[in-house]
């Protein structure tokens, strides 16, 4: 009997000690900065029964204002206030129970880089180069396969991981700079430890870590710094609406309402009109906003204040850590509207000149304009998003270039979409593009006609807005016969050892692909100095007989662009455009590198563009 009692006592002691062996599994964000305009910080702490402990902080200028717990005992949310005079440096977060310190967690409070709050964001003087990192260049084959991560490399599979990485982009900054791109937008680079199709990056499994198959956080920051030294900014692709189904918290949710629909898959309706419809049923709004994209992407409940704080701080952390020049927000309208207001307010308050572009994939200018900062709205909604993606213009260009001129068809489509610019608070700050990672390559969309491709390039680099080009468009990458995203996002030739064709050096490129690359380089080089197309006023003239003429003007320069989409040549009569041309007698033909007289008719060949530049 005595032996039994001793064994029972010993077992209870062992169990108690095991229970008391608290540990921290996740603490996010793992660092922060002094001197932020908003001193609030909420740290999420995750660990077995961590809520049984009481945190304590003793550091000059840092106050633990409160501790929040949820129904899950494995989480604590620490509410800190960081004063303007807080001392940078490391301090301890002590976790106590019954007057005894059970855990000590070091925490770093760093000093912000000089001028961080005043950083310049991307604008219409820039040209954005969009890269899908897994498909651009494999600079470090050693990280193609990472032990412990689910998906293995398979370059032969369209939806597999091909091995492109951050080092590959670093290795080719010379090419990117030489081409004339001034901003890099990378499809998401954060960890996607999903079992399949993880290459695209849109199913995040760790919001604070670069995927090891792309590199490290430090390498991402090194890329930003190296690009910045060349005058090239870095735009981060941020996903606020959802995470990946294999995110670490999916096995131990902080609260029952962390994921919409209780963590069970219910698909969204994709009816983006419902959230601006003044007549919409509330149930339809919720079905859209709370539904999941796909089962592999759980929908985050941003009405939960801890979720909202987490996503906001994550975004601020990356801007500060990596020195970003901008953010692109994926699937903008799918997020909670009130959350988007506060998220965008907080980001633009902290970084007034940071540019943020939201993805709104609809062909209605009104639906895009609704989300831009300063736009009039009948429902009183407030947004602080400076920029949106201009899908209506992209659609108009692709359709218009492939149609005959007519009432509302052909180049009239472009004219009409631009006439809707009265809806926008700032149409010059929209991101414009011939294609992106989610649609067929522009060369394929235009029937693989080089003449139409060249016209589209000339248009997007001279009209109002911030141009974005997709990697490989400059060498006519295409997806003929397939609209598969895996095919659209094919490997850039020359990015892998042993590639027979090299798009970076031109080795093995077909003549027409070389011509496309040279045209892109020429236009981008010219555009860097063409101040009129950076922020000059756009004046467009009604297209006539397949000929569309428009002007960009600032106080130093006037640029005239003529697009002829007819099957034969058209002539420009300068008299029609006298209100802009005035008494100028000649102009520089950008594409032909020659002077041209403005005193007589100017010929524009069939299916071509001409760009003329004059001093103001």
């Amino acid at each position: 009997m005595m032996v039994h009692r001793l064994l029972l006592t010993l077992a209870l002691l062992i169990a108690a000690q095991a229970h008391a062996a608290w540990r921290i599994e996740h603490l996010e964000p793992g660092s922060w900065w002094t001197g932020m305009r908003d001193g609030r910080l909420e740290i999420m702490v995750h660990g077995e029964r961590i809520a049984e402990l009481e945190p304590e902080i003793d550091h000059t200028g840092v106050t633990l204002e409160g501790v929040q717990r949820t129904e899950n005992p494995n989480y604590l949310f620490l509410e800190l206030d960081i004063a303007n005079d807080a001392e940078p440096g490391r301090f301890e977060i002590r976790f106590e129970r019954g007057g005894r310190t059970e855990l000590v967690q070091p925490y770093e409070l760093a000093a912000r880089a000089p001028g961080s709050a005043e950083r310049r964001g991307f604008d219409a003087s820039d040209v954005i180069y969009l890269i899908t990192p897994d498909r651009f260049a494999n600079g470090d084959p050693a990280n193609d396969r990472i032990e412990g991560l689910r998906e293995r490399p398979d370059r032969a599979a369209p939806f597999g991981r091909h091995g492109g990485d951050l080092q590959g982009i670093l290795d080719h900054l010379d090419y990117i700079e030489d081409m004339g791109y001034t901003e890099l937008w990378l499809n998401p680079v954060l960890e996607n430890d999903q079992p399949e199709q993880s290459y695209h990056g849109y199913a995040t499994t760790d919001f604070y870590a670069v995927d090891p198959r792309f590199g490290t956080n430090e390498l991402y920051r090194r890329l930003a710094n190296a690009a910045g030294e060349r005058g090239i900014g870095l735009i981060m692709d941020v996903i606020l609406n959802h995470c990946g189904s294999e995110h670490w918290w999916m096995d131990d949710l902080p609260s029952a309402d962390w994921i919409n629909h209780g963590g069970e898959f219910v698909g969204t309706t994709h009816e983006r009109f419902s959230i601006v419809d003044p007549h919409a049923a509330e149930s339809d709004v919720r079905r859209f906003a709370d539904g999941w994209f796909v089962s592999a992407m759980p929908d985050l409940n941003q009405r939960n204040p801890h979720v909202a704080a987490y996503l906001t701080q994550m975004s601020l952390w990356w801007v500060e850590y990596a020195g970003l020049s901008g953010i692109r927000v994926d699937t903008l309208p799918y997020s909670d509207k009130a959350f988007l207001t506060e998220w965008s307010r907080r980001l633009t308050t902290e970084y007034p000149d940071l540019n943020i572009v939201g993805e709104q994939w609809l062909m209605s200018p009104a639906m895009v304009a609704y989300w831009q900062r300063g736009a009039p709205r009948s429902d009183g909604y407030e947004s602080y998003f400076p920029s949106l993606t201009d899908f209506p213009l992209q659609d108009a260009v692709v359709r218009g270039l492939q149609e005959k001129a007519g009432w509302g068809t052909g180049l009239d489509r472009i004219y009409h979409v631009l006439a809707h610019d009265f809806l926008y608070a700032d149409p010059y700050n929209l991101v414009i593009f011939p294609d992106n990672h989610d649609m067929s390559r522009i060369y394929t969309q235009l029937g693989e006609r080089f003449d139409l491709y060249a016209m589209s390039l000339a248009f997007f680099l001279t009209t109002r807005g911030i141009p974005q080009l997709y990697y490989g468009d400059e060498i006519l990458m295409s997806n003929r016969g397939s609209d598969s995203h895996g095919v659209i996002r094919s490997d850039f030739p020359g990015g892998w050892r042993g590639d027979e064709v090299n798009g970076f050096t031109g080795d093995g490129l077909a003549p027409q692909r070389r011509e496309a690359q040279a045209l892109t380089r020429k236009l981008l080089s010219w555009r860097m100095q063409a101040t009129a197309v950076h922020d000059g006023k756009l004046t467009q003239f009604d297209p006539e007989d397949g000929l569309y003429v428009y002007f960009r003007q600032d106080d130093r320069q006037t640029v005239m662009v003529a697009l002829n989409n007819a099957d034969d040549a058209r002539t420009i009569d300068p008299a029609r455009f006298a209100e802009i041309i005035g008494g100028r007698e000649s102009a520089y033909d950008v594409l032909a590198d020659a002077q041209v007289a403005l005193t007589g008719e100017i010929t524009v060949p069939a299916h071509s563009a001409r760009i003329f530049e004059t001093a103001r």
Side-chain angles (χ1 to χ4, degrees):
M1 187 68 171
M2 181 64 70
V3 173
H4 176 72
R5 285 179 179 174
L6 286 172
L7 290 174
L8 179 60
T9 301
L10 181 61
L12 290 171
L13 284 171
I14 292 172
Q17 289 174 353
H19 177 70
W22 297 279
R23 69 180 186 278
I24 294 172
E25 297 178 25
H26 303 93
L27 186 144
E28 296 176 344
S31 61
W32 203 248
W33 292 268
T34 61
M36 301 291 273
R37 296 183 179 185
D38 190 326
R40 294 174 296 167
L41 175 65
E42 181 174 278
I43 299 175
M44 182 175 74
V45 186
H46 172 236
E48 183 70 21
R49 306 196 70 82
I50 195 72
E52 295 176 350
L53 304 182
E54 291 292 339
E56 297 288 341
I57 293 175
D58 182 12
H59 185 76
T60 303
V62 179
T63 304
L64 181 59
E65 295 281 1
V67 179
Q68 298 292 326
R69 292 171 170 83
T70 67
E71 70 271 21
N72 187 338
N74 298 335
Y75 286 87
L76 282 174
F77 293 88
L78 282 52
E79 299 174 339
L80 277 60
D81 181 76
I82 302 172
N84 288 333
D85 60 351
E87 287 289 330
R90 293 172 72 86
F91 61 89
E92 293 179 344
I93 305 175
R94 306 179 73 85
F95 294 85
E96 300 184 349
R97 181 179 172 90
R100 174 181 171 180
T101 299
E102 301 289 351
L103 285 175
V104 177
Q105 175 67 37
Y107 200 83
E108 182 176 3
L109 194 61
R112 299 179 77 182
S116 175
E118 294 75 34
R119 70 186 62 232
R120 171 192 174 270
F122 63 90
D123 59 31
S125 67
D126 291 304
V127 176
I128 301 168
Y129 195 44
L130 167 58
I131 293 174
T132 301
D134 182 64
R135 305 300 171 88
F136 188 65
N138 189 352
D140 182 9
N143 66 18
D144 291 357
R145 183 186 298 267
I146 299 292
E147 196 63 37
L149 295 186
R150 291 171 174 83
E151 190 172 14
R152 303 301 189 187
D154 185 358
R155 193 181 177 197
F159 289 100
R161 280 194 171 264
H162 292 189
D165 50 31
L166 296 178
Q167 188 61 53
I169 299 170
L170 261 167
D171 291 345
H172 292 96
L173 284 178
D174 283 346
Y175 170 80
I176 293 166
E177 180 183 22
D178 177 67
M179 285 297 300
Y181 302 107
T182 59
E183 291 283 337
L184 286 176
W185 159 24
L186 308 185
N187 288 142
V189 297
L190 299 185
E191 182 192 272
N192 270 231
D193 189 13
Q194 296 287 116
E196 60 184 5
Q197 298 189 32
S198 65
Y199 76 96
H200 54 67
Y202 286 97
T204 311
T205 57
D206 189 331
F207 282 99
Y208 281 96
V210 166
D211 193 295
R213 290 160 292 195
F214 291 146
T216 64
N217 287 12
E218 181 54 38
L219 187 62
Y220 183 65
R221 181 159 59 178
R222 183 142 51 94
L223 171 62
N225 291 338
E229 290 171 359
R230 300 166 181 262
I232 300 171
L234 183 62
I235 302 167
M236 188 174 199
D237 204 333
V238 170
I239 302 101
L240 302 174
N241 179 67
H242 52 264
C243 63
S245 58
E246 301 299 327
H247 191 286
W248 61 262
W249 61 38
M250 293 303 297
D251 291 330
D252 191 23
L253 289 174
S255 60
D257 65 346
W258 195 262
I259 301 294
N260 283 321
H261 295 291
E264 297 296 325
F265 172 67
V266 176
T268 179
T269 63
H270 295 289
E271 186 49 85
R272 284 153 284 178
F273 282 88
S274 63
I275 52 172
V276 301
D277 178 7
H279 316 293
E282 182 59 26
S283 58
D284 282 350
V285 175
R286 295 269 61 88
R287 286 172 62 220
F288 163 70
D290 292 355
W292 299 21
F293 241 71
V294 292
S295 60
M297 297 177 179
D299 204 70
L300 294 167
N301 176 21
Q302 297 144 346
R303 295 185 297 279
N304 179 312
H306 299 305
V307 175
Y310 182 94
L311 294 171
T312 301
Q313 293 171 172
M314 175 271 296
S315 307
L316 290 166
W317 192 90
W318 281 109
V319 174
E320 196 69 30
Y321 174 82
L324 303 177
S325 65
I327 289 177
R328 181 261 187 183
V329 177
D330 181 59
T331 58
L332 178 70
Y334 289 78
S335 290
D336 181 77
K337 287 175 65 176
F339 162 75
L340 288 174
T341 294
E342 180 58 17
W343 182 91
S344 59
R345 185 202 66 79
R346 182 90 181 268
L347 266 290
T348 54
T349 297
E350 203 65 61
Y351 307 101
D353 296 324
L354 182 78
N355 209 349
I356 305 171
V357 54
E359 180 199 27
Q360 165 62 305
W361 194 338
L362 282 173
M363 304 313 166
S364 163
M367 289 294 293
V368 177
Y370 178 89
W371 296 98
Q372 193 176 32
R373 177 174 60 193
R377 304 172 190 85
S378 62
D379 62 0
Y381 179 69
E382 193 73 30
S383 173
Y384 296 87
F385 275 82
S387 179
L388 278 302
T389 48
D390 195 349
F391 279 92
L393 186 59
Q394 191 277 340
D395 180 67
V397 171
V398 171
R399 295 174 67 184
L401 287 176
Q402 297 181 91
E403 294 176 338
K404 298 292 185 182
W407 185 256
T409 61
L411 300 185
D412 270 13
R413 290 190 183 276
I414 301 174
Y415 176 84
H416 290 165
V417 166
L418 290 172
H420 281 81
D421 277 0
F422 70 90
L423 293 165
Y424 297 105
D426 185 3
Y428 293 83
N429 200 29
L430 299 176
V431 171
I432 59 175
F433 50 96
D435 63 6
N436 65 20
H437 59 293
D438 283 328
M439 59 175 63
S440 288
R441 295 280 182 166
I442 185 60
Y443 189 53
T444 297
Q445 289 188 61
L446 294 174
E448 303 201 353
R449 285 184 54 179
F450 184 82
D451 54 357
L452 300 186
Y453 161 85
M455 290 177 69
S456 72
L457 187 64
F459 173 77
F460 281 110
L461 294 177
T462 55
T463 192
R464 62 95 177 113
I466 306 167
Q468 166 253 297
L469 303 178
Y470 192 31
Y471 81 95
D473 283 349
E474 71 271 25
I475 55 170
L476 302 181
M477 284 181 64
S478 64
N479 53 289
R480 182 192 299 181
S482 173
D483 60 0
S484 164
H485 283 187
V487 176
I488 292 168
R489 306 162 186 170
S490 293
D491 298 343
F492 191 95
W496 279 254
R497 296 171 189 173
D499 285 357
E500 294 182 1
V501 176
N502 192 321
F504 298 113
T505 64
D507 293 342
L509 276 183
Q512 197 165 67
R513 300 180 79 182
R514 282 176 172 268
E515 184 180 354
Q517 191 176 50
L519 175 63
T520 304
R521 184 184 289 109
K522 182 183 185 71
L523 283 171
L524 293 183
S525 176
W526 166 78
R527 194 183 189 280
M528 284 185 179
Q529 310 303 322
T531 59
V533 299
H534 297 171
D535 51 20
K537 182 181 185 297
L538 169 66
T539 302
Q540 62 173 351
F541 287 77
D542 185 8
E544 290 185 351
D545 199 21
L547 182 66
Y548 173 45
V549 176
Y550 58 92
F551 291 81
R552 301 295 306 279
Q553 295 173 281
D554 65 6
D555 58 3
R556 289 175 285 179
Q557 182 186 59
T558 295
V559 171
M560 177 173 70
V561 182
L563 302 180
N564 175 20
N565 201 34
D567 291 334
D568 48 17
R570 293 287 183 266
T571 56
I572 298 173
D573 180 0
R576 185 189 173 200
F577 311 109
E579 63 186 273
I580 308 294
I581 294 175
R584 298 181 186 86
E585 296 186 348
S586 66
Y588 171 66
D589 186 328
V590 173
L591 295 176
D593 285 325
Q595 290 295 123
V596 62
L598 297 177
T599 54
E601 291 186 339
I602 302 170
T603 299
V604 184
H607 301 295
S608 73
R610 296 191 71 178
I611 303 171
F612 306 99
E613 173 192 339
T614 68
R616 182 71 168 164

